Amino acid sequence: MRHLRTVLLLCTAHLVGAAHGATPAYTPDPVGRLSAYIAVDTTNPPGNESRGAAFFAAIFDAAGIPYRTVESAPGRGNIWARLEGGSEPAIVLLNHMDVVPPDRRYWTEDPFGGVIKDGYLYGRGALDMKGLAIAQLEAFLALHASGRKLNRDVIFVATADEEAGGSMGAGWLATNHFEIFEGVGYLLNEGGGGRPYGEQIVFAVGVAEKVPLWLRITARGQSGHGSIPRTETAVTRLLRAGSRLAETEFPARVIPATQTALAGIAQFQSAEFAPRYAAIAEAVNDPEFLLKLKAMEPGHAALLRNTCSVTRLEASTKVNVIPPEAAMEVDCRLLPDQDPDAFIADLKVLLADPTLSFEKILSFGAAASPIDTPLYALIETLAKEAFPGSIVIPSVATGFTDSHFFRERGISSYGASFFVGDEAESRRVHGNDERIAVSALERGTELLTELLRRFTTSATD
């Protein structure tokens, strides 16, 4: 049966109708479903997200929910399903199926085993983002099984390729199948969650992201034998440029969303940092504070300036050959109001080598979502009901998600999750022994289900 499903998914696109008759009974099982989903290896590269699409398709078949799958390229599957409702703006539950590669040498559990141990479910994607995908799936299935009349369409969308920029997934769907998103006013995605500060919990709701600008910078020079050093080569030019870039701290400044986010968590900081977070627009003028912040809270520090990290270097293929070209790839993250082309122009001045060439690997525009919407208000209300005394703040992410494809089209998109985990757990994202607490998964799924129910149905229905 699994082989048959895989073969079907290799078609360019197909529609599957729901089974006739009564809606099958729904039994919540976020832990079991996540364990099974983690076992579906969708490591990107190469992706193989059609395996993930087959996983969801089998569940939709069993539930009698119509769905559609489509591949942007062989093996790069995407799937969506729709529950039809009234005329209110539709809501999308968006998640990506691909995961980053694990280094098995440094894991204590099989990264694709879905192992449950000491109250945690281990596996690549447990946090990024198969766990939230399963919570969305459970909420979607529960809403379907409830038989309630919906005030709007609810659309579950699982995509390929987010970890590589989304051009084969959400970006491809937004360009080639935007009919999925017609009439959509809201979207829920990764990029949010709860973090405990003592007895209180702060929920961050993602409303904006720094803009990725990935660059390949190439230097060229005379090649030759490694035994005869040259005055200047492609490698020495690249090393000089890379060193200058790595040592540069771009000017610090505060955008309104960051000011709101840091002020919201000021009370939970140390006696030294609390007043600085509360008045961050003034604090960024203090170089000593910025240095301490980068050492102690690098994620917060990165929200205050444009950043660039040299992440890849390429030169000769042989130790005794001076190459004619050397290149570095650079991960720059820009504040949402920064123009990428203007930033590249500034980089050229900074590196002061007119022979260098600059190529964009990835770049897209910036957009933010408003917080004065019914959905944002409901997220805040439910979080405070479930966790009395909790605080909900809009946040800006240092990384990026697929939400930008839809913010650019006017869809209010939020990074929203009711999973609660401390900083130590969040550092496992893209790292070793990625895991989610079983209790957090179960509670977060319950709350997302309740959020969807309240937002899409009448209290009296």
Side-chain angles (χ1 to χ4, degrees):
M1 181 63 72
R2 176 174 293 181
H3 175 70
L4 175 61
R5 174 64 57 198
T6 301
V7 170
L8 289 173
L9 282 165
L10 292 178
C11 298
T12 303
H14 67 272
L15 289 171
V16 181
H20 294 290
T23 300
Y26 162 67
T27 302
D29 186 19
V31 176
R33 286 193 172 102
L34 178 56
S35 180
Y37 188 26
I38 283 173
V40 180
D41 186 351
T42 51
T43 301
N44 186 10
N48 291 320
E49 295 92 348
S50 291
R51 299 171 179 171
F55 171 84
F56 287 119
I59 293 172
F60 292 143
D61 279 339
I65 299 175
Y67 61 89
R68 185 176 180 185
T69 64
V70 63
E71 290 186 334
S72 55
R76 309 310 300 272
N78 301 273
I79 184 170
W80 64 95
R82 181 186 299 264
L83 303 179
E84 294 186 352
S87 59
E88 292 294 316
I91 181 170
V92 167
L93 306 176
L94 179 70
N95 60 86
H96 65 85
M97 296 180 284
D98 60 321
V99 298
V100 297
D103 189 333
R104 292 176 181 267
R105 296 175 300 167
Y106 298 101
W107 283 64
T108 62
E109 305 295 338
D110 179 357
F112 299 106
V115 173
I116 299 171
K117 178 181 177 182
D118 299 329
Y120 289 90
L121 199 164
Y122 286 77
R124 176 57 86 218
L127 294 173
D128 184 13
M129 70 165 294
K130 290 186 172 182
L132 183 55
I134 291 298
Q136 292 180 346
L137 174 69
E138 294 283 351
F140 188 77
L141 294 173
L143 192 64
H144 172 253
S146 73
R148 288 174 173 267
K149 182 179 180 181
L150 304 181
N151 60 22
R152 67 189 78 231
D153 286 4
V154 181
I155 311 160
F156 178 94
V157 182
T159 65
D161 198 42
E162 189 274 346
E163 297 292 357
S167 63
M168 307 295 288
W172 188 85
L173 289 179
T175 299
N176 295 280
H177 288 279
F178 195 73
E179 72 275 5
I180 303 169
F181 307 100
E182 290 177 357
V184 170
Y186 303 97
L187 182 145
L188 293 178
N189 190 16
E190 63 181 339
R195 177 179 172 182
Y197 288 87
E199 297 299 317
Q200 282 189 297
I201 296 174
V202 175
F203 283 93
V205 179
V207 299
E209 302 163 354
K210 292 186 75 176
V211 178
L213 175 62
W214 295 355
L215 298 172
R216 182 177 177 85
I217 303 175
T218 302
R220 295 173 176 83
Q222 186 175 357
S223 61
H225 200 287
S227 65
I228 307 175
R230 310 286 178 174
T231 302
E232 188 169 67
T233 68
V235 172
T236 60
R237 283 176 174 164
L238 189 75
L239 290 175
R240 183 170 59 245
S243 176
R244 185 170 295 173
L245 183 57
E247 294 172 358
T248 297
E249 294 280 13
F250 297 98
R253 56 191 179 85
V254 182
I255 63 171
T258 298
Q259 185 169 7
T260 300
L262 295 185
I265 59 173
Q267 62 180 301
F268 305 112
Q269 307 308 312
S270 66
E272 178 184 9
F273 276 17
R276 298 303 188 93
Y277 275 50
I280 193 66
E282 292 76 30
V284 294
N285 297 314
D286 182 349
E288 183 177 349
F289 163 71
L290 292 175
L291 186 61
K292 288 182 179 179
L293 186 67
K294 186 175 181 179
M296 299 178 67
E297 289 285 356
H300 294 164
L303 294 173
L304 300 174
R305 53 168 42 111
N306 299 323
T307 63
C308 287
S309 297
V310 179
T311 55
R312 299 189 70 222
L313 297 170
E314 295 178 8
S316 180
T317 58
K318 203 167 187 296
V319 69
N320 62 344
V321 174
I322 298 172
E325 288 189 1
M328 60 181 174
E329 292 185 358
V330 185
D331 181 355
C332 297
R333 305 294 174 121
L334 311 182
L335 294 174
D337 59 357
Q338 172 69 59
D339 176 75
D341 290 330
F343 184 77
I344 292 174
D346 290 341
L347 280 186
K348 291 179 178 179
V349 173
L350 171 70
L351 301 186
D353 185 344
T355 68
L356 297 175
S357 64
F358 291 72
E359 174 191 354
K360 288 182 184 178
I361 301 173
L362 177 72
S363 178
F364 46 72
S369 295
I371 63 174
D372 58 345
T373 67
L375 181 56
Y376 186 96
L378 184 57
I379 293 170
E380 186 171 20
T381 296
L382 189 56
K384 291 181 177 180
E385 286 179 6
F387 300 91
S390 63
I391 296 173
V392 178
I393 60 172
S395 68
V396 182
T398 55
F400 67 85
T401 71
D402 284 333
S403 291
H404 74 92
F405 292 115
F406 307 101
R407 289 188 177 123
E408 292 166 8
R409 291 164 170 79
I411 297 173
S412 295
S413 304
Y414 301 111
S417 163
F418 292 102
F419 296 156
V420 177
D422 61 24
E423 181 67 17
E425 292 303 314
S426 67
R427 285 196 294 268
R428 295 173 184 261
V429 173
H430 287 204
N432 305 320
D433 282 340
E434 183 179 353
R435 67 186 189 180
I436 186 171
V438 170
S439 59
L441 174 62
E442 292 175 335
R443 182 63 169 145
T445 299
E446 291 173 0
L447 292 173
L448 186 60
T449 300
E450 177 63 11
L451 177 77
L452 195 62
R453 183 193 68 78
R454 293 192 194 182
F455 193 64
T456 63
T457 67
S458 168
T460 59
D461 181 36

